[in-house]
Amino acid sequence: MTKCIIPGFIIIIFLFSISCSEYKAPAPCAPLPSENQLRWQEMEYYAFIHFSLNTYTNQSWGYGNEDMNLFNPDSLDCRQWARICKEAGMKGIIITAKHHCGFCLWPTETTKYSVKNAPWKDGKGDVIKELADACKEYGLKLGIYVSPWDRNSPEYGKPEYIEIFRTQIKEVLTNYGEIFEIWFDGANGGTGYYGGADENRKIDRTSYYDWQPTYKMIRELQPAIVIWNDGGDRADLRWVGTEAGFVGETNWSLLNDTGEVEWGMLHYGLEDGNAWVPAEVNTSIRPEWFYHPGEDAKVKTVPQLMETYYHSVGRNGTLLLNFPIMPNGLIHENDEKAALEFAYAVKEAFAENLIENAKIEATNIRGTSKKYNGKQTIDNKQETYWSTDDSVTTATLILDFGQSTTFNRFLVQEYINLGQRVKAFSLEALIDEDWQEIARSTTIGYKRILRFETVTATQLRFNILDSKACPLISNIGVFNAPQLLYPPRIIRNQAGEVIISPVDAESVIYYTLDGSVPTPQSEKYTQPVSTDGKLQVKAIAFEPSTGKSSPVCSETFDLPRKDWKIIAINDEKVYAVIDGDQHTAWHQDKNITLPADLIVDMGKELTITGFKYFPDQFLWGPGIITHYKFFVSTDNKTWNLVSDGEFSNIKNNPLWQIKEFNSVEARYFKFQALRNTENNNNIGYGEIEIITK
Ligand code: FUL
């Protein structure tokens, strides 16, 4: 008998090759994120600061002729901004170094329209420098917003402006240390001061800015930067198509690197896109971007901010939350309070991961290797992950809690370094020995958080139902977040009745009509309340079983519109415009030629000082008015023009537009629509109100 002797080194090579095949990393599933994009994504949550001449003029967009002498904050303190952002758990701050009005917050060499010629610090101040220093002190990153549109520059619209714009970018990227993100807003071209020309300048947004050489310069000056651009050539990050604070539930971090980008692509990404362009959700802590004193009571509540969090960070996006700076140079105390309470609520919701001690088993493990087993999902490391064999795109991870466990949140992360893969997944819980589906969703990406009704279960199944390639799951978490009570909604109808609706049907509502803060000892709401005159209504939702109250909802109302008649329009539905309900709207006949009039007889003569327009909120074809004229009359014959102009940022932020004028006596008003956001003749209205003296 001959013995077959296998030399030791061959055995070693054989074992080594088995282990190599077991440990072979999954192939990338392109497109992949760059290192800069990965670093940016991990920041998750950072701040926007809106501060400029608009802060002093109560406007959303400056025209470009605002007086620089207005810029004189007496308590400007960038360290206050940085402290609040840091305490709120944010990782950086992006500031409007130049907004559309063209005023520069740093002493630029490119224009006289800057802090250099403002009274603040005798023209020796530099807001960007102060913020850069504050960010360094608080360990925050700095980002810069430089508006491509410049309503002050005489050169805007001409080729010469591009060099000015590039020099401005160069200045802000050279003199203030490392910049993590640069922001180029999409608002481009239109009417403006333009050095006194006072005209309408249109540009071709696809070619005018000649972005590629600018991008090259930016990357040379700041190799670690990410570029956000909503107006021109594809950059590193994308807008999500709304400023209301949410990205699509399905959210691919992909787009195509050329071609038109439609709204749906911005909102949901493109499953088969050929470029990595992840989503950044930008929204303000108040309705508007710049500070308006009238919004001090409109700061978003914790439940609202938590919704935003779940709809941004919880949907594979980052959250860029804006603080408007007050004229004195500080963040308002209400905004600070909301941001800190929001941070606390996030911390509380994700305080304890209930699966840290769970037993984990996967239906498939890549090459049966330990390196890719289910436990990798609970080791709190982003760079380790559970994965299946290459050919497997559906798989299940079974988590056994070992005891009854109560939860209502599920968090999951993909290892996106090798691409975004998962297309659909579901969750099943073992409740009373019965497997029940408790949630089902689509994409995951960097981070996905699902919310569902609180359940008590002993086991959980995380099923990957479809994936572009073998899934790579780096982290999962199961949490029991405390329930938050949402403030109720308050409206006042045309007859003057105040109607308060709870968001959560089981809560009880208490309200006041005199501006005082409601408590469970205040009036209990049971039915619509008849009211008269001007009014401030405040309400809370109260949960008797826990004794907890929601944040206060506060609404102010001008005179009721009981006697109002809309004249010369033969359609009863037009009364949706004054029914007090923001969810109803009315549109002019689609064959109307512009300008389109809406004439109201207020029933008696009143002294009025302004009007308010709330556009239709319906997403598709909303007929939002951008340019208007507002006339008043005492006899419906002679009309007096009291206000005309634009609703500046109404397309991206379709909220109440408030226009004030010198007080005037009127029984009739005519709201005339001159233009809409789409340049067609669709003219719609959610609500119209007047402001009386
Ligand atoms: C918009 C701008 O037009 C707003 O004024 C604001 O700066 C916002 C962040 O982007 O589109």
Side-chain angles (χ1 to χ4, degrees), residues 206-220:
T206 59
S207 58
Y208 176 60
Y209 294 105
D210 186 21
W211 283 110
Q212 290 311 321
T214 309
Y215 286 1
K216 188 164 172 277
M217 175 189 83
I218 292 172
R219 295 195 198 286
E220 275 163 17

Side-chain angles (χ1 to χ4, degrees), residues 665-678:
E665 299 298 312
R667 168 165 172 173
Y668 301 86
F669 70 79
K670 175 159 64 182
F671 177 39
Q672 189 168 77
L674 306 179
R675 228 189 289 165
N676 73 0
T677 50
E678 297 135 305

Side-chain angles (χ1 to χ4, degrees), residues 48 50 60-61 99-100 145 183 185 187 243 282 289 649 652:
F48 229 165
H50 272 65
S60 310
W61 286 356
H99 201 254
H100 313 328
Y145 172 130
W183 226 84
D185 185 72
E243 293 177 354
N282 65 310
W289 294 100
N649 192 31
N652 291 348

Side-chain angles (χ1 to χ4, degrees), residues 389-500:
D389 289 321
D390 281 335
S391 57
V392 177
T393 51
T394 56
T396 293
L397 206 59
I398 305 154
L399 310 163
D400 186 347
F401 300 112
Q403 59 186 12
S404 280
T405 303
T406 301
F407 55 93
N408 51 22
R409 301 284 183 274
F410 180 75
L411 180 152
V412 53
Q413 295 189 273
E414 281 186 80
Y415 180 70
I416 55 168
N417 305 48
L418 294 177
Q420 186 181 353
R421 299 159 182 245
V422 176
K423 294 202 230 179
F425 68 101
S426 73
L427 290 180
E428 293 167 290
L430 188 60
I431 303 168
D432 298 332
E433 304 294 305
D434 186 24
W435 281 107
Q436 292 177 23
E437 184 170 295
I438 53 169
R440 176 178 278 261
S441 198
T442 51
T443 50
I444 295 178
Y446 168 73
K447 187 177 271 188
R448 189 69 219 279
I449 304 171
L450 293 190
R451 288 181 291 173
F452 39 83
E453 297 250 312
T454 306
V455 293
T456 300
T458 48
Q459 293 186 37
L460 182 67
R461 286 205 292 233
F462 164 47
N463 306 307
I464 292 177
L465 306 173
D466 198 3
S467 183
K468 279 181 159 183
C470 62
L472 317 180
I473 304 298
S474 69
N475 280 314
I476 55 175
V478 170
F479 304 90
N480 192 26
Q483 299 291 348
L484 291 177
L485 266 180
Y486 286 69
R489 290 197 196 98
I490 307 172
I491 67 167
R492 188 201 222 179
N493 65 16
Q494 200 196 338
E497 288 173 329
V498 168
I499 301 167
I500 313 180

Side-chain angles (χ1 to χ4, degrees), residues 35 41 62 97 138 142 151 157 178 207 216 268 276 280 307 364 389 391 418 425 461 492 519 535 540 648 660:
E35 268 183 37
Q41 185 99 47
Y138 283 89
L142 178 65
R151 291 174 115 179
E178 190 168 302
S207 58
K216 188 164 172 277
Y268 304 106
W276 188 272
E280 177 185 79
E307 282 299 301
N364 184 291
D389 289 321
S391 57
L418 294 177
F425 68 101
R461 286 205 292 233
R492 188 201 222 179
T519 67
L535 203 62
I540 50 166
S648 301
E660 287 174 300

Side-chain angles (χ1 to χ4, degrees), residues 84-114:
I84 293 170
C85 293
K86 185 74 184 184
E87 285 174 9
M90 296 164 142
K91 299 290 183 321
I93 301 180
I94 303 180
I95 180 164
T96 52
K98 182 183 85 165
H99 201 254
H100 313 328
C101 70
F103 182 72
C104 296
L105 295 184
W106 77 101
T108 175
E109 294 297 321
T110 60
T111 169
K112 293 204 168 81
Y113 206 50
S114 84

